[in-house]
Amino acid sequence: MKKDIKQIVKKYYGEIATENKSGCCSNSCGCGNTATNEQIAESIGYSNQEIKSASDANLGLGCGNPTGMGEIREGDVVLDLGSGAGFDCFLAAKKVGLSGRVIGVDMSEEMVERARANADKYGYKNVEFRLGDIEELPVKDNSIDIIISNCVINLAPDKSKVFSEAHRVLKKGGKMYISDIVLLKNLSKEQKGNEELIAGCVGGALLKNDYLGIVKKAEFKVKILSEDKDISKRQYQGIPLESLKIEIQK
């Protein structure tokens, strides 16, 4: 089943990358056809300036703005889990400067190809994109200052492995800034098996307390920064969920 989930996710986001269609959630959630990528980005915390700075990389995906949640310093090495077309990577690149570096990891070949094209278009020399699975990061131990992730970890079948890998690659004292979808009530069996909901950040999401429990089990310190329950009505037709924004420290 885990392999099936990954294939569903790869296919869905590969199509978004190549067809330039709107993302954010599945069509059954009703958001893809009612809001533009710019409107979605603004609703989850991006400024107009940020949106315009890399408009081709904004695919209307995400449930928050992880680059705006914490302090990313000049010279930092930043890792983006599930980097998509590169939007958050490019925002982080401006903060780390030429003395820093940003690494984006994504499992979709089409997304990595598009992100690399965007990096060339916008002239980012301090960003690189790697094809890989966030459950098995192609990154060295203790090499990362800051990890960001935007509505992606919910897509991974083995979330414990994701946070174990994050702990491995972070330097001591390093931090993660995460926006992710968590459930406030259990889904039905039918919802959990629905391919559109799986690809749309819902079917594979965990209950909030279970999610936080996995993070703590990975030996991280956790701080809840904010919780956006209104996103359920804006993008997910009232399904009992929220966008959880957390700071994690090794």
Side-chain angles (χ1 to χ4, degrees):
M1 183 59 185
K2 288 183 178 181
K3 186 177 181 181
D4 293 339
I5 289 173
K6 290 186 179 183
Q7 289 304 313
I8 290 168
V9 171
K10 284 184 70 174
K11 181 177 182 293
Y12 180 77
Y13 288 96
E15 289 175 355
I16 290 176
T18 55
E19 296 175 15
N20 196 28
K21 65 181 181 181
S22 186
C24 90
C25 64
S26 66
N27 291 333
S28 64
C29 294
C31 70
N33 298 321
T34 59
T36 66
N37 294 348
E38 290 77 13
Q39 288 171 330
I40 293 167
E42 186 176 4
S43 75
I44 58 178
Y46 293 98
S47 68
N48 287 329
Q49 183 178 0
E50 288 174 324
I51 295 168
K52 291 177 181 178
S53 70
S55 58
D56 287 348
N58 171 30
L59 302 183
L61 303 169
C63 55
N65 178 3
T67 62
M69 288 160 51
E71 188 173 357
I72 298 175
R73 299 182 176 89
E74 189 171 347
D76 278 347
V77 179
V78 175
L79 172 66
D80 185 5
L81 305 184
S83 47
F87 187 45
D88 288 325
C89 287
F90 301 141
L91 297 180
K94 291 186 176 183
K95 296 189 175 188
V96 303
L98 293 178
S99 61
R101 190 159 55 101
V102 179
I103 301 167
V105 173
D106 203 283
M107 70 185 299
S108 165
E109 293 91 344
E110 294 88 350
M111 278 294 187
V112 170
E113 182 178 339
R114 182 161 179 173
R116 288 171 176 167
N118 283 333
D120 289 340
K121 177 178 179 177
Y122 291 115
Y124 284 102
K125 305 297 185 183
N126 57 344
V127 182
E128 65 172 298
F129 295 97
R130 299 177 185 177
L131 181 65
D133 192 323
I134 62 173
E135 293 179 6
E136 297 180 29
L137 287 169
V139 180
K140 293 180 180 179
D141 295 1
N142 306 305
S143 61
I144 304 296
D145 296 297
I146 300 288
I147 294 177
I148 57 175
S149 186
N150 194 353
C151 213
V152 170
I153 297 174
N154 68 78
L155 298 169
D158 192 342
K159 295 166 183 59
S160 296
K161 200 167 183 182
V162 174
F163 286 108
S164 175
E165 280 288 274
H167 194 278
R168 175 182 66 81
V169 303
L170 270 178
K171 298 175 182 177
K172 185 176 180 180
K175 293 182 178 181
M176 281 183 86
Y177 295 100
I178 300 173
S179 298
D180 212 359
I181 293 297
V182 294
L183 301 175
L184 301 178
K185 292 182 181 178
N186 279 314
L187 299 175
S188 67
K189 184 178 180 181
E190 289 74 19
Q191 286 174 314
K192 289 180 179 179
N194 183 294
E195 291 191 6
E196 286 190 340
L197 290 181
I198 290 170
C201 305
V202 178
L206 296 178
L207 289 168
K208 181 175 75 172
N209 288 340
D210 292 341
Y211 188 100
L212 293 173
I214 287 175
V215 178
K216 292 172 183 176
K217 193 173 181 179
E219 300 182 352
F220 282 114
K221 299 176 184 177
V222 186
K223 179 181 179 182
I224 296 176
L225 300 177
S226 66
E227 301 175 65
D228 179 6
K229 293 182 173 66
D230 291 338
I231 197 171
S232 171
K233 295 178 182 178
R234 295 197 311 270
Q235 296 184 10
Y236 296 95
Q237 290 190 338
I239 294 174
L241 54 75
E242 69 176 26
S243 172
L244 179 68
K245 300 169 178 63
I246 53 177
E247 177 188 274
I248 300 172
Q249 185 168 14
K250 180 175 176 179

